[in-house]
Amino acid sequence: QVQVVESGGGLVQAGGSLRLSCTASGLTFDDYAMGWFRQAPGKEREGISCITWNGGRTYYVDSVKGRFTISRDNAKNTLYLQMNSLKPEDTAMYYCAAGPECAPRVPNEDEYDYWGQGTQVTVSS
């Protein structure tokens, strides 16, 4: 069956960096666009970034643009999110998901098929 597993979360001070990883198995990884989503306490889950199957196009919401970088290594079935200049408002559970496309708009979770369990990112001030 399909398994999607995120890792790399943790506690970091404001201004610091983290790199999240997401490994998928049980699917043909390069058949799928991939997205990163996050859910802060008391808030709805939001899409923050996505990448096409070959990494040729990416999308970022304004709140992370210029600070976060999404990338993928299809040979390793792995998706990454490099997060720099972290802010307390970036504190959330971060999820990755596989879907049919990465459109040039905010990723819509209803369009993504396979999800991981999430990894917690906490940014202290």
Side-chain angles (χ1 to χ4, degrees):
Q1 75 270 22
V2 176
Q3 283 194 316
V4 179
V5 180
E6 302 93 340
S7 62
L11 174 64
V12 64
Q13 288 189 330
S17 298
L18 282 174
R19 188 174 84 153
L20 306 184
S21 299
C22 167
T23 301
S25 60
L27 53 73
T28 304
F29 188 69
D30 56 10
D31 276 352
Y32 289 87
M34 297 295 295
W36 284 102
F37 297 76
R38 67 185 181 185
Q39 186 169 20
K43 295 188 176 180
E44 292 187 351
R45 188 157 58 185
E46 62 170 342
I48 60 171
S49 182
C50 64
I51 187 168
T52 52
W53 69 274
N54 63 351
R57 188 175 70 242
T58 58
Y59 174 85
Y60 302 92
V61 296
D62 287 347
S63 59
V64 307
K65 197 176 297 182
R67 300 188 298 123
F68 291 9
T69 303
I70 190 171
S71 61
R72 65 190 295 163
D73 184 339
N74 287 347
K76 297 182 178 179
N77 282 15
T78 301
L79 173 73
Y80 303 99
L81 186 69
Q82 177 66 44
M83 305 187 296
N84 299 329
S85 303
L86 282 161
K87 304 175 181 180
E89 52 263 43
D90 294 318
T91 294
M93 185 72 78
Y94 283 71
Y95 301 88
C96 72
E101 68 168 355
C102 170
R105 53 174 168 76
V106 177
N108 182 341
E109 64 177 81
D110 293 336
E111 298 172 354
Y112 284 74
D113 303 311
Y114 302 108
W115 291 81
Q117 293 300 305
T119 187
Q120 178 68 39
V121 172
T122 303
V123 185
S124 63
S125 57

